[in-house]
């Protein structure tokens, strides 16, 4: 169990003082001492759920210029919002964005709820986003824990429980540092520290205001935190895939309905097994007798195993009735990526 250092007060004071000097100038942040705009905070948090600050910034500026208030966004045309969102990823988020803007306008008189429970009732606002908005926009002492904050906590307290099981401990430790003094700045200070100083692979401990308290730094290997569960070695398999060409088309087969890639179009293959195939074995396992040419090999990773596929090619006049002759370009788009690689 991690040890909680005794000096929370001085630790907090040092990080807040560091934030006052080094805070990032972000377009959704209020000027120092001013109240944050809940609409801007919410919009930035939704955008940042799936992308980085540099990528999100021009989108944020474009949205704010075009729809300056949550009411403007609520009245926007769906298609225009979807088009403005293009490039930000998952459209479900854009649909939730509109649904949320309309819920705020319709159910809350155009004002965002000012606490976590109220915020959680809004479409697309989960536990993290609600905490972030509550802290940053409404100065609620909410526990805002993203990946950056998890990393800082894991290092500060040298938490030995590996992720993902350690998340609960990290959250509890983060909560032990939250107070009602400047909760918005505290949340943003931890985020900024994690992003700029306590970086994943190269923490800049010499520039860190938490260094005197940091147990991972004292261990001499801060980058070894957060601990991660050892990856289970993925088994490796070998197989042969057959590219059979006739008049610019390639023979595809429909895979059995059950099992890996069930029911999908694919190239004919051998069995997949732990040992590599020799050329003689590859030719013997081929679906037809032909002048087979070794066309190299491809690597592919499935969730539960990795695969080396040797690729053999031959030209054929006839073939199996079950084969589906498909123009090469269409074939690449019709088969799962392991087979598409073998068609390149
Ligand atoms: S001292 Fe180093 S490891 Fe510890 S919180 Fe600061 S940057 Fe991270």
């Amino acid at each position: 169990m991690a040890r909680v250092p005794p000096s929370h007060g001085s630790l907090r004071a040092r990080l807040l003082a560091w934030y006052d000097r080094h805070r990032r100038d972000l377009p959704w942040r209020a000027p120092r001492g001013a109240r944050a705009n809940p609409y801007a905070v919410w919009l930035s948090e939704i955008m940042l759920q799936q992308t980085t600050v540099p990528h999100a910034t021009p989108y944020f500026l474009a949205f704010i210029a075009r729809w300056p208030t949550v009411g403007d966004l609520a009245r926007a045309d769906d298609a225009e919002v979807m088009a403005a969102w293009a490039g930000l990823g998952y459209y479900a988020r854009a649909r939730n964005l509109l649904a949320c803007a309309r819920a705020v306008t319709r159910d809350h008189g155009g004002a965002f709820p000012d606490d976590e429970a109220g915020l959680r009732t809004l479409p697309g606002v989960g536990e993290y986003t609600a905490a972030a908005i509550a802290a940053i926009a409404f100065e609620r002492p909410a526990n805002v824990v993203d990946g950056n904050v998890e990393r800082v906590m894991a290092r500060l307290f040298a938490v030995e429980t590996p992720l993902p099981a350690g998340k609960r401990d990290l959250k509890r430790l983060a909560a032990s540092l939250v107070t009602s003094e400047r909760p918005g700045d505290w949340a943003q200070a931890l985020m900024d520290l994690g992003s700029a100083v306590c970086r994943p692979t190269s923490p800049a401990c010499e520039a860190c205001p938490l260094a005197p308290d940091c147990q991972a730094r004292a261990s001499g290997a801060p980058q070894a935190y957060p601990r991660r569960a050892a990856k289970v070695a993925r088994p490796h398999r070998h197989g042969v895939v057959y590219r059979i060409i006739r008049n610019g088309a390639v023979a595809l087969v429909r895979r059995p309905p059950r099992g890996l890639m069930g029911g999908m179009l694919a190239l004919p293959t051998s069995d997949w097994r732990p040992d590599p195939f020799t050329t003689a074995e590859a030719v013997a396992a081929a679906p037809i007798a032909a002048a087979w040419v070794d066309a190299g090999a491809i690597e592919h990773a499935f969730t539960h195993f990795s695969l080396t596929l040797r690729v053999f090619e031959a030209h054929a006049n006839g073939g199996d009735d079950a084969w589906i002759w498909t123009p090469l370009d269409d074939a690449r788009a019709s088969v799962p990526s392991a087979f598409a690689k073998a068609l390149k």
Side-chain angles (χ1 to χ4, degrees):
M1 176 59 66
R3 186 169 59 83
V4 177
S7 53
H8 279 190
S10 83
L11 179 156
R12 278 184 49 92
R14 270 182 277 118
L15 182 56
L16 286 168
W18 173 88
Y19 181 68
D20 288 340
R21 286 195 305 279
H22 298 288
R23 57 180 248 148
R24 285 179 290 181
D25 195 11
L26 301 173
W28 45 87
R29 280 192 177 162
R32 210 180 298 268
R35 270 200 98 86
N37 171 358
Y39 171 57
V41 174
W42 162 76
L43 187 58
S44 67
E45 288 296 338
I46 300 294
M47 289 181 170
L48 289 169
Q49 282 173 3
Q50 61 198 73
T51 188
T52 58
V53 166
H55 187 68
T57 298
Y59 287 91
F60 174 84
L61 293 172
F63 265 69
I64 286 286
R66 192 156 172 190
W67 300 293
T69 69
V70 69
D72 295 323
L73 184 60
R75 286 185 292 276
D77 181 71
D78 288 37
E80 284 182 25
V81 174
M82 294 295 163
W85 189 266
L88 271 178
Y90 307 111
Y91 287 96
R93 294 236 167 88
R95 280 192 290 276
N96 270 336
L97 190 85
L98 265 175
C100 183
R102 288 169 184 161
V104 168
T105 307
R106 184 187 59 236
D107 304 333
H108 300 276
F112 279 83
D114 67 359
D115 61 12
E116 285 177 86
L119 288 160
R120 286 292 299 272
T121 66
L122 297 173
V125 177
E127 183 182 347
Y128 166 80
T129 307
I133 301 170
I136 298 168
F138 298 111
E139 291 298 326
R140 299 277 187 183
N143 192 23
V144 186
V145 185
D146 66 358
N148 281 333
V149 177
E150 280 181 354
R151 185 169 60 256
V152 173
M153 292 302 134
R155 290 174 174 173
L156 185 59
F157 299 106
V159 174
E160 295 297 338
T161 315
L163 289 176
K167 278 178 180 277
R168 219 180 35 210
D169 279 353
L170 298 176
K171 204 165 172 192
R172 182 178 52 73
L173 289 164
S176 75
L177 292 166
V178 173
T179 76
S180 54
E181 183 202 3
R182 299 177 62 186
D185 285 350
W186 177 254
Q188 294 174 98
L190 274 177
M191 290 175 190
D192 282 14
L193 188 84
S195 155
V197 177
C198 196
R199 299 176 298 240
T201 53
S202 55
C205 300
E206 65 290 346
C208 179
L210 305 185
D213 307 279
C214 182
Q215 296 176 40
R217 178 177 184 251
S219 79
Q223 68 283 358
Y225 295 85
R227 305 287 198 206
R228 292 183 191 280
K231 284 211 172 92
V232 179
R234 222 178 356 200
H236 192 80
R237 293 189 193 162
H238 295 267
V240 187
V241 69
Y242 300 96
R243 233 166 32 196
I244 307 166
I245 308 289
R246 187 181 76 183
N247 300 330
V250 63
L252 299 184
V253 293
R254 177 85 53 194
R255 290 178 65 84
R258 293 186 194 287
L260 190 69
M261 300 176 283
M264 300 180 81
L265 287 174
L267 291 168
T269 80
S270 67
D271 288 341
W272 298 348
R273 67 185 198 191
D275 302 323
F277 281 74
T278 64
T279 299
E281 286 176 322
V283 170
I288 53 168
W292 290 104
V293 175
D294 184 345
I298 60 104
E299 302 290 332
H300 190 74
F302 292 100
T303 313
H304 298 297
F305 65 96
S306 54
L307 176 69
T308 301
L309 277 179
R310 291 187 70 180
V311 184
F312 278 74
E313 180 173 298
H315 289 263
N317 294 322
D320 191 311
D321 286 347
W323 292 349
I324 301 156
W325 292 102
T326 310
L328 214 50
D329 284 345
D330 295 346
R332 283 194 200 104
S334 311
V335 297
S337 53
F339 295 101
K341 287 179 190 172
L343 281 168
K344 274 194 178 159

